[in-house]
Each structure stands twice: as C-alpha cells, then as structure tokens.
Amino acid sequence: MSENHSAAEPAASPRTTSFRYEAALAADIEARWQDFWDAEGTYEATGPEGGPGAAGEAGDAAARPKKYVMDMFPYPSGSGLHVGHPLGYIATDVYARHARMTGHNVLHTLGFDAFGLPAEQYAVQTGTHPRVSTEANMENMTAQLRRLGLGHDKRRSLATMDPEYYKWTQWIFLQIFNSWYDDAADRARPIGTLVEQFESGERETPGDWGPWSELNAAQRADLLGEYRLAYASDAPVNWCPGLGTVLANEEVTAEGRSERGNFPVFKAKLRQWNMRITAYADRLLNDLDALDWPEAIKLQQRNWIGRSEGARVDFPVHATSGADRAVTVFTTRQDTLFGATYMVLAPEHGLVSGPDTIVPDAWPEGTHEVWTGGYATPAEAVAAYRKQAAAKSDVERQAEAKDKTGVFTGAYAVNPVNGEQVPVFIADYVLMGYGTGAIMAVPAHDSRDFAFARAFELPIRCVVEPTDGRGTDTATWDDAFASYDAKTVNSANDEISLDGLGVTEAKARITEWLERRGIGEGTVNFRLRDWLFSRQRYWGEPFPIVYDEDGIAHPLPESMLPLELPEVEDYSPRTFDPDDANTSPETPLSRNGDWVNVELDLGDGRGVRKFRRETNTMPNWAGSCWYELRYLDPRNSERLVDPEIERYWMGPREGQPHGGVDLYVGGAEHAVLHLLYARFWSKVLHDLGHISSAEPFHKLYNQGMIQAYVYRDSRGIAVPAAEVEERDGTYWYGGEQVTRLLGKMGKSLKNAVTPDEICAEYGADTLRLYEMAMGPLDVSRPWDTRAVVGQFRLLQRLWRNVVDETTGEVTVVDSEPDEATLRALHKAIDGVSRDMEALRFNTAIAKITELNNHLTKAGGPVPRTVAERLVLLIAPLAPHIAEELWYKLGHRTSVAHADFPVADPAYVVDETVTCVVQVKGKIKARLEVSPSIADEELEALALAEDAVRSALGGAGIRKVIVRAPKLVNIVPA
C-alpha cells in the first residue's frame, strides 16, 4: 500500500475548464480520485502478515491500534441501489476514515451475500442462471458503491457463491457435524472424544441403546446423531407449499406466513438437517452482557432464547398396549401442582401421533359428551382435531380472544402429588415448540386453562389464596387468579405440605420432594429451538454429506471440498398450491441423477463404494455466519483463516473479552436471525480452537431507515412520486388528487431515488453529506431531494474559501488567524472529534458548517493553517473534495492518511462567560467571569457588586445559591 501520490498526479489534469464547484467539476474530481485510490491501493489494510493472507512487509501499520469496521452483507439486488441503501455504508466509511486519520490500522471492506431465494426465483421466471443474474447485479452494485467513494479494501471483497468461499462454509459445517457439546467441559469437542468415552465405558450409552460394543454401524450413527451439533432428524417443520421449501421459525411471520412471498406455512414432519444451537443457549444469553450492542437487540435475543427455571414432572399414563407411559411436562409453577385438574398435549405430540399412542379404542365409561367432539371413538376425534390444528398458524392457535377448542384423548394421567386421575386432552393452544409439548392445566391460576376448563366443564381448584377478596370458591370466579405474592393453600398430602408458603419457598420444597421420589427434577427450559438448516432449493451451498446404502450419513473428506453446485436445467423446487398442506418437498438437485448417485473412496479404508448425495442445500444464512473471518484472509487456500491474522484483528483484548469486530453496522431486523446464528458459529469454532474470538461482533450499531413519501391514487395504486405536484397542501398527479403517506422507499412504490441521480446533479460528496446530516444515524428520516442542495452549498462555500473560482488558484494566506477564528476552529475540532467517535455525524456536519460560515463572514483570505484543518475535518465526510483541496494546498500525501486535527484546550473553553446575579429571583447584575471560576470566588464577586449591594439595601443574607460559572441567586434574610 502506498500513501504517496507517486504513481500519478490526479489533480494536475482536470477534465473540465471551469473552476466553479458545480456538478461537472465535482464529477471530474470524484472520478479522478477514485481512479487514484484504486491505482495506489490507498485503503488496503495491512495486518501482521502484510497483505490479506499473504506474506509481505507489514511496515508500521500493524504496530498501530487496529480498527475492524464492517457493514452487514448486502444482497445483490437486480434493481440496484436507491438512496436508502448506502446510509450504513457511508456511515461506516466516515467512521473508518476518521479512525485512519487518528492513527488506527483500519480494515474496512465489503462483499456480497450472493446465494438465496431471490436469484433462484428470477432464474425460474426468466431462464437466466442464478450465477449469471447475480454476477450482473454485483457488477452494477459495485459500480454504484464505487461512485460513492467508499474506502474499501477491494482485495478482500468476496461473494458467498464462489466455490473458493463456500468450500470453507462446507468445511465449517463438517466441523459442526463432527462435534458434540460436552456439558462437563461446557464446550464443543470433536465427536471422536465421545466415541472414545463410549468405547472405554467412561460414558454409558443412554436409555435402551445397550452397550456400544453391541451396536451395529447404523445404530452407532443414530446414537451419535443425538449428540452431534449438526444432525438430521424427523421433526415438525414449517412447510411452505407456495415456496416449495421448509422454513426456520425465524423465517415465519407472526401471522403464520412466509417472510418472503407471504405464503401460508403449515406444520409437517420431515427429515431435515438441524443445528443444535440450543446447546449454546446459556452461553448465548450470558455473553450478551459483555457486548456493546443496543439494549433493544439484546432484549430481543434474550426473549428469543427465553430462559425459564422450573421443573419437569412425570404424570404416569396407562396406554392401551398395557405398557406404562408418562406425560412429561415442564412448568415454571410447580408450586401449583395440587391444582392440576387436567392435562393438554399439543396435537403433534408423539403420544397421540406415534407408535406409543395413549389413545384407547373406545371412550371410557362415563365420558362427558362435550369432551368427545361428537365422534364415536377417541381415535376418530383425535385424528380429526389434529387435521384441523395442522391448518392453523402458531399465532392463530395461541390467540387469546379465540374460543378454546380441543378433544379428550380417552386417556387419563395420574397427578403425582395427590394420585387423582386427570383427563388428557389435545388442544391447539399448546405448541410442540415450547417445553415438552404438554402442560399440566391449573385452571384456577391460568387464564387460558380457565377458559378451557369452563368450555369443557372441568374442575377448577384454587391452590393460591386470592388477595383481591374473591375467596377460594372458584364457582364464583369470572377469570383465573395469578399472583407471585400470595400464599399457597389446599396443597398437602401425607408426605408434604405447601400450605402457607410463598411461591419461592413452595417451589423449592415441591421440587426437592419430586426429585427425592424420582418423578421430577428442577430444570431450566429455553424457548430457543434447534436451527432448521435444510432448504429445498437449488441456489445454495450443497451439503458435503453422502449416504451409504444403509442410509448412514458420511462427511466428505476435506480433500473433496468444495463440493460444487452442479449445473441444472430446472432451478425451481417443486411448488404447490399455497393452501395445500398435504404436500412434501421435491428439490431441484434430486432431479440430477448423475450428480446424486456417485461412487467414492472416502479414505476410510473401505475403498470405492456407492453413495447418494444430500439433495437439500444450506439456507442463505450459512454464508453470512462467518464472513467476518474470511475478510481477514480471503485468499488462503489452506486454512479458514490464519490464526495470527484472526487474533490480530478479532482476538480478545481489554474491553472486548470475547473479541470480535470493533464496529458492525446494519439493520435491526436481523436481531434473531443472522446475529444469533453468527454468534453460534463463532462459539463452535472458538471451542474447537480454530479462532480466538468467541463472539463475531463486539460493537453493533443499528442505523435507521431513509423513508420516502408514497403517493397513491383513488385505487390505492402508487403513482410516480417525482411527478406529483403540491397545491396548497394537497397533492395531485395527472389531474387527480392523491394521498401521501410516509413509508419505505422502493421501486414498486414508485418513490425510489437512485444515488446515481443525486451524484449526477450534485456529486457523491454532497450525497454523502446529506445522508449523514439528515438526523441521528439510528433514527429513521424522510428523504427530501429538494434539501440536498443545502449540503451542496456547504461544499461550494468551502471551495470558495480555498480556491479562486475564476483562476483556480489557491487563495489562502500564510498569516496568523485572529483569536475569534482560533476559537471557532478549535471548538469545531473538539466537537467534530467527539461526534465522529460517537457516530453523531449530523452534529459533526453542523459544527463544520458553523466554522465554514465563520470564515465566509469574516471576509478576506483564509489563513492556511485554518484552511488545512478545515479540509481535514471534512475529509472523512466528503473525501473527494478534501483530497482535491489538500493537493491544491501543496500536500503530496493522501488526506486519507493525514493526521486528524487535535484541539488546543486553551481555545476550546470560552475566555469568559456571563454570570447572572439574582436577588429575590430578579436579575440585578451580570458578571464576565472565567469558565473555571470556583463557587467561593464567584460568590465573593457577586456580593461585592454595587448593584447587588444596593438591591439588598443593607438586609442580611439567608442563603446564596451558586451555580458556577453562570448563576448566583441571593436570598435576603
């Protein structure tokens, strides 16, 4: 990397003859400096090994304090950028430029999250290969971003669809597949260590598996699958027929529809790959405390992980097969066990849907008619209700206002604390996604259980004494009573009594009793579910997994990576009627027989064998789980990342105990998707010793959104915003009045403004300044093209303060600035420095504007020392004009690496401030005092003032209130 202008003289050959800062000159300046930066490698970051992953001269750069600045991965959209997209990119660029100028070694680059559904859908519609359309989109977006003057290290750019990148995505998957979570060590370990424990007898095989030595290959594979951090299983999934794929919970909206496409989503049972992210639930929760993230994002992650302490309790059930079964529930209110009068299973629960069913052939004698749903047998009732529930979203099933529905299974369980027979129902308000998919219903103290009990005429028993005067006779109640402050009642048997205890003590006592009797235990539960990792798509990373003739999954050896995505004629997964739940996936890769069925030697000593490849692909989140690591060492063909390079840029250090990127800027919408997944992958890689950082992103900042007005006609159809006329506060298009509402900016809303348009009219520096000046970075703000000119005028005034618009000559002088100018200058330097560090770019621009206006109003030539510092102040925000002016001022090193100005404290503080002196609350004097004056000195000065003594008229003084340096308030006796 060179910091000199030795390769070219970019300012010596302007492509325009005008010296007035207008659009043509701005375009000329910006194009020349962008070419120069590329030619000189101005923004190439140097780590401990010189170049990115290659040996070289590190020079002094690696000795500086480092700063790793990142943006969230952009997806290369076919429609290109509108002015809302670059908001975060410009902000990180300003921050990174300021960091370089304050002595930091900065790494700032950008790549593309290139796999995913949009490109695949475009391919299906047009017949264009996803790679072709994605590459074209990347080329367009790269040109648009370059025009903004972003100071990225372009050597490090990458795209997730490139085989040399997804080779390592596949490699990471195999590390996760070949790992298990050792609770004793509280970290992931290679799966081989678990096998060694089974083989040696150090660890017994669980449950009914039998000794390890007696298990065959398939059984061993199944057993290890219960421990692996990446595993395939038959499990309830979110099936979206309209997309032809399954979705993770996080990809389903609150309305039970697909986040992309808004199609209905149904529950189905399919064999899919999962990531055991739940093994890391406690660490994902606890490590949030040390991260510099917005509290709102931390709260979302905490709520999504959903840690709750309670107890697991077994309720025995006698199945029709004669074998004993148990319904296991997780409850956070084990203190109310004596109030459980019935149980509810989720309709998907294995005890009503699998071979271990508890559903009898006939209704028990005396079954209440309202419990049967009108069906002749329990099996018919359960089957019909399960079908009905499958057609509803989770949100619909849990809606508080809806009528409670359900059906009796025909089976009874035994409440373990009192021996009572309690009926077991299935109902859609219980979900398999939380706890065990079963609840003990305590209707007196839970509103949903209360409503269900009323609907099905079930007993309601009070076990928590009401404090609102309603009494314990539940027949008079209109709703449940719930309180953590009340005392326990009606909760005793021959061995234990909870009566009179508070909640905390009652919980502890009943939990100890359950554990002693072997029918329950205190435990922690999480809302977080394992991450569904399979997609029935083409445009994604192939799994590096093959299956042998016995269906056992085998990882490909590293030498076979990358497993490249094959060329196919039909890219589309088979889609179905969006409302048809009785469908199942068919993947594009499954139709490519030559690729699916292969003969391989996996290097396991068994020679060449026949295998079948996995035909699902990874989700689009896979590539973005680890890209912060690949930016560090993007051309390393031997390792994921060189350990020394990773440790330098991301390793733990003071104030960053888990390491990570120094600043990560992006939208808040990824709180429980990308951010949670990336944290999980980092922790696995850290546990296995591949990286030193246990967290990917130390500081997170969520930028707001640039909004735009949407104009709609009487039909509700958006009309072109640029063609709407305003008349006396109303809005008209084509002779018709239209409505206006502030919303998103986008092509479909016909209100998109492209950065190209603004750059063409004003220049990129003006666009950069306007986006940073619109308001606080973390707040959404409306776009107003008419207001852009304000920042353009700032740059014009700046230009005129340095350059003669007639001759193009520099007009600064070598004289000393006056004291007023020095104070204006150093106050600006001090304020801008603070604002830059805190990402308060709007107020930084305001301070620069104030200084520039001061120089304009002062008239006459600007002192060189002031002009140079003003150029340095604005350089991170408007780098092109700053480079041009810096060069014109005689410097032959890039302003990008110049030292940011440092304020002289003597000029930052005002020489004097005005102190108001009040007597009886009325102003009697004004004093000009030092800003650092002490309270005692200020009080003495005030009392010595003639006007104050006159106002007191000889009266005594009861109190003197001093607020140095600005106020003295005297209260006479």
Side-chain angles (χ1 to χ4, degrees):
M1 179 181 70
S2 170
E3 297 182 9
N4 298 318
H5 290 196
S6 56
E9 293 291 337
S13 55
R15 300 164 190 170
T16 176
T17 56
S18 172
F19 300 110
R20 180 175 171 80
Y21 191 80
E22 298 286 2
L25 181 57
D28 172 67
I29 291 170
E30 289 163 4
R32 286 187 287 110
W33 283 106
Q34 288 162 17
D35 290 344
F36 176 82
W37 294 332
D38 286 349
E40 292 294 289
T42 302
Y43 305 112
E44 292 177 359
T46 303
E49 293 296 319
E57 291 295 326
D60 296 330
R64 304 174 193 158
K66 63 90 184 179
K67 192 76 77 171
Y68 186 7
V69 182
M70 267 185 66
D71 303 275
M72 284 193 184
F73 237 175
Y75 185 84
S77 166
S79 57
L81 300 175
H82 59 62
V83 292
H85 290 124
L87 178 66
Y89 307 149
I90 296 170
T92 53
D93 187 60
V94 174
Y95 183 86
R97 288 175 179 277
H98 177 255
R100 279 192 202 92
M101 297 176 72
T102 52
H104 292 82
N105 186 26
V106 176
L107 192 162
H108 187 211
T109 191
L110 194 70
F112 290 100
D113 194 8
F115 275 131
L117 190 58
E120 185 172 280
Q121 290 178 325
Y122 183 77
V124 172
Q125 295 165 7
T126 64
T128 305
H129 194 284
R131 176 176 291 279
V132 173
S133 61
T134 303
E135 286 178 344
N137 296 343
M138 287 166 51
E139 184 177 352
N140 179 46
M141 286 183 64
T142 298
Q144 287 185 298
L145 291 169
R146 182 182 187 272
R147 192 170 184 180
L148 296 175
L150 303 178
H152 294 143
D153 183 345
K154 297 181 180 178
R155 303 169 304 162
R156 299 172 183 266
S157 185
L158 51 83
T160 56
M161 69 180 186
D162 293 339
E164 58 266 29
Y165 181 86
Y166 69 73
K167 166 187 176 178
W168 296 103
T169 307
Q170 294 171 335
W171 182 87
I172 296 172
F173 173 84
L174 292 180
Q175 306 310 301
I176 300 173
F177 174 77
N178 285 319
S179 302
W180 66 294
Y181 201 86
D182 186 344
D183 290 322
D186 198 23
R187 65 182 179 89
R189 300 179 66 194
I191 198 71
T193 61
L194 178 63
V195 173
E196 290 172 2
Q197 291 181 14
F198 284 142
E199 287 179 337
S200 67
E202 177 186 348
R203 178 185 294 267
E204 293 185 359
T205 55
D208 301 327
W209 280 97
W212 177 263
S213 59
E214 297 178 9
L215 301 180
N216 61 33
Q219 290 171 325
R220 290 180 177 182
D222 288 344
L223 174 57
L224 293 179
E226 295 189 3
Y227 290 85
R228 292 185 189 272
L229 291 180
Y231 65 96
S233 69
D234 293 317
V237 296
N238 301 306
W239 165 235
C240 181
L243 291 176
T245 188
V246 298
L247 303 172
N249 289 339
E250 298 88 340
E251 295 174 303
V252 181
T253 68
E255 291 73 33
R257 304 179 76 85
S258 62
E259 188 179 49
R260 185 171 295 279
N262 197 38
F263 292 111
V265 176
F266 304 94
K267 290 294 184 184
K269 208 164 190 177
L270 298 170
R271 190 163 187 81
Q272 303 287 304
W273 281 98
N274 297 270
M275 292 278 181
R276 206 178 300 275
I277 191 173
T278 49
Y280 282 83
D282 268 324
R283 285 171 60 185
L284 289 168
L285 198 60
N286 295 337
D287 289 355
L288 283 170
D289 293 338
L291 299 182
D292 185 3
W293 285 20
E295 283 303 318
I297 299 295
K298 288 185 179 183
L299 180 61
Q300 285 186 66
Q301 289 219 352
R302 291 188 180 107
N303 290 341
W304 191 262
I305 295 167
R307 187 182 193 276
S308 54
E309 294 186 11
R312 288 183 180 269
V313 186
D314 294 331
F315 285 67
V317 179
H318 297 291
T320 55
S321 63
D324 288 339
R325 299 281 183 267
V327 177
T328 301
V329 303
F330 169 80
T331 176
T332 59
R333 292 301 304 269
Q334 60 268 38
D335 56 303
T336 64
L337 257 168
F338 284 90
T341 58
Y342 67 97
M343 304 191 74
V344 184
L345 308 181
E348 302 84 5
H349 199 286
L351 290 180
V352 291
S353 63
D356 294 334
T357 181
I358 60 173
V359 179
D361 295 330
W363 294 115
E365 185 176 350
T367 296
H368 198 313
E369 185 177 351
V370 75
W371 296 3
T372 69
Y375 290 93
T377 67
E380 291 177 51
V382 167
Y385 189 81
R386 291 184 67 242
K387 183 177 181 180
Q388 172 187 325
K392 297 180 182 178
S393 71
D394 287 357
V395 173
E396 290 175 308
R397 287 170 56 170
Q398 291 197 298
E400 292 290 343
K402 79 178 189 69
D403 294 333
K404 292 293 180 283
T405 64
V407 70
F408 180 39
T409 64
Y412 285 86
V414 177
N415 187 329
V417 296
N418 56 23
E420 290 183 358
Q421 295 268 329
V422 294
V424 181
F425 285 76
I426 61 171
D428 60 9
Y429 77 91
V430 176
L431 305 177
M432 280 303 297
Y434 181 77
T436 64
I439 66 164
M440 63 173 206
V442 185
H445 308 296
D446 180 275
S447 292
R448 294 186 306 168
D449 295 346
F450 185 93
F452 190 93
R454 281 281 191 260
F456 287 86
E457 301 178 21
L458 290 158
I460 300 175
R461 180 182 300 127
C462 175
V463 292
V464 177
E465 186 172 23
T467 56
D468 58 4
R470 69 173 68 185
T472 59
D473 182 4
T474 59
T476 65
W477 291 10
D478 294 325
D479 198 357
F481 171 79
S483 173
Y484 281 142
D485 299 325
K487 301 296 183 181
T488 305
V489 296
N490 301 325
S491 297
N493 60 30
D494 294 340
E495 299 180 9
I496 185 173
S497 174
L498 307 181
D499 291 345
L501 300 180
V503 171
T504 301
E505 189 178 354
K507 282 184 176 183
R509 185 172 296 186
I510 193 65
T511 301
E512 186 275 331
W513 184 82
L514 291 168
E515 290 176 343
R516 184 157 33 88
R517 300 227 11 206
I519 54 177
E521 62 177 348
T523 189
V524 174
N525 195 56
F526 295 92
R527 178 179 181 268
L528 180 69
R529 301 294 90 192
D530 281 345
W531 173 16
L532 180 68
F533 202 68
S534 293
R535 296 295 182 273
Q536 292 67 47
R537 301 174 186 155
Y538 168 70
W539 193 234
E541 298 91 341
F543 282 92
I545 293 290
V546 292
Y547 300 91
D548 64 21
E549 292 177 322
D550 295 322
I552 299 173
H554 297 267
L556 290 180
E558 187 176 333
S559 60
M560 291 186 180
L561 303 182
L563 172 60
E564 295 197 27
L565 195 63
E567 297 292 327
V568 298
E569 293 183 1
D570 184 2
Y571 317 112
S572 59
R574 184 182 176 191
T575 57
F576 303 89
D577 180 338
D579 297 309
D580 187 356
N582 297 316
T583 50
S584 56
E586 178 186 300
T587 66
L589 292 180
S590 66
R591 298 192 285 266
N592 192 336
D594 292 340
W595 184 83
V596 173
N597 301 300
V598 292
E599 293 185 358
L600 302 172
D601 183 349
L602 298 183
D604 55 3
R606 303 179 65 181
V608 176
R609 292 188 290 156
K610 292 182 178 179
F611 294 96
R612 174 178 53 83
R613 296 195 192 279
E614 173 62 68
T615 60
N616 288 305
T617 54
M618 299 186 197
N620 60 299
W621 309 107
S624 60
C625 274
W626 71 281
Y627 69 126
E628 73 283 353
L629 297 171
R630 197 59 178 173
Y631 280 154
L632 306 179
D633 199 5
R635 305 295 172 250
N636 193 333
S637 60
E638 303 300 320
R639 309 186 73 151
L640 176 80
V641 58
D642 181 281
E644 184 182 358
I645 294 174
E646 186 274 334
R647 192 162 43 250
Y648 171 78
W649 287 110
M650 290 187 63
R653 62 203 65 220
E654 185 178 356
Q656 300 182 15
H658 304 303
V661 172
D662 296 290
L663 175 65
Y664 191 42
V665 174
E669 66 272 14
H670 295 299
V672 295
L673 288 161
H674 158 63
L675 289 173
L676 197 61
Y677 299 156
R679 295 183 65 213
F680 166 54
W681 277 36
S682 285
K683 292 186 183 304
V684 177
L685 291 171
H686 173 264
D687 286 357
L688 298 176
H690 299 301
I691 59 176
S692 66
S693 49
E695 287 283 346
F697 316 113
H698 172 70
K699 180 178 178 64
L700 174 71
Y701 193 96
N702 297 131
Q703 86 272 16
M705 180 188 299
I706 290 183
Q707 300 170 304
Y709 287 109
V710 183
Y711 299 88
R712 298 184 183 275
D713 61 20
S714 58
R715 301 166 297 170
I717 296 175
V719 302
E723 300 175 27
V724 172
E725 297 179 10
E726 182 177 356
R727 303 177 193 168
D728 299 325
T730 59
Y731 305 95
W732 297 79
Y733 171 75
E736 178 189 354
Q737 188 171 347
V738 295
T739 60
R740 185 181 81 158
L741 187 67
L742 192 62
K744 289 184 177 182
M745 180 181 287
K747 187 177 179 181
S748 63
L749 298 174
K750 299 182 181 179
N751 63 354
V753 179
T754 70
D756 309 67
E757 298 173 52
I758 304 302
C759 289
E761 188 168 355
Y762 299 106
D765 281 339
T766 295
L767 174 62
R768 290 169 60 104
L769 280 172
Y770 176 66
E771 295 217 358
M772 294 300 95
M774 291 172 72
L777 183 59
D778 58 348
V779 175
S780 294
R781 73 295 302 269
W783 176 268
D784 183 359
T785 299
R786 295 169 299 180
V788 177
V789 70
Q791 299 307 317
F792 187 51
R793 288 173 182 151
L794 166 62
L795 294 180
Q796 289 179 316
R797 288 192 294 270
L798 169 65
W799 182 264
R800 286 195 296 268
N801 278 331
V802 179
V803 177
D804 187 299
E805 291 185 327
T806 304
T807 65
E809 297 299 317
V810 171
T811 59
V812 300
V813 293
D814 292 326
S815 61
E816 289 297 315
D818 59 37
E819 185 162 330
T821 298
L822 281 173
R823 291 193 179 280
L825 172 64
H826 286 281
K827 282 185 178 180
I829 293 172
D830 180 65
V832 171
S833 298
R834 296 172 189 273
D835 289 343
M836 287 285 187
E837 184 62 33
L839 284 80
R840 295 191 298 262
F841 304 129
N842 60 320
T843 54
I845 292 170
K847 292 177 176 69
I848 292 170
T849 302
E850 186 177 351
L851 173 61
N852 196 51
N853 289 344
H854 170 87
L855 298 175
T856 301
K857 291 175 183 177
V862 175
R864 175 178 292 276
T865 56
V866 178
E868 289 182 340
R869 288 168 178 162
L870 176 58
V871 169
L872 292 171
L873 283 180
I874 205 168
L877 292 151
H880 307 92
I881 193 172
E883 286 278 24
E884 187 78 359
L885 292 175
W886 191 243
Y887 183 87
K888 283 182 173 294
L889 287 166
H891 298 277
R892 293 300 177 261
T893 55
S894 172
V895 74
H897 297 283
D899 291 336
F900 202 76
V902 177
D904 184 338
Y907 292 106
V908 171
V909 180
D910 288 330
E911 188 174 17
T912 62
V913 295
T914 300
C915 174
V916 171
V917 183
Q918 296 178 337
V919 178
K920 293 183 180 179
K922 295 182 180 181
I923 298 174
K924 296 300 179 180
R926 287 182 171 87
L927 308 175
E928 294 299 316
V929 299
S930 167
S932 59
I933 192 170
D935 285 0
E936 296 80 3
E937 184 181 355
L938 184 58
E939 180 179 342
L941 286 174
L943 293 175
E945 187 71 15
D946 289 342
V948 172
R949 298 172 67 175
S950 175
L952 287 171
I957 298 173
R958 183 157 58 93
K959 183 188 297 184
V960 179
I961 301 167
V962 182
R963 297 287 184 266
K966 294 188 176 182
L967 175 68
V968 177
N969 188 16
I970 302 169
V971 181

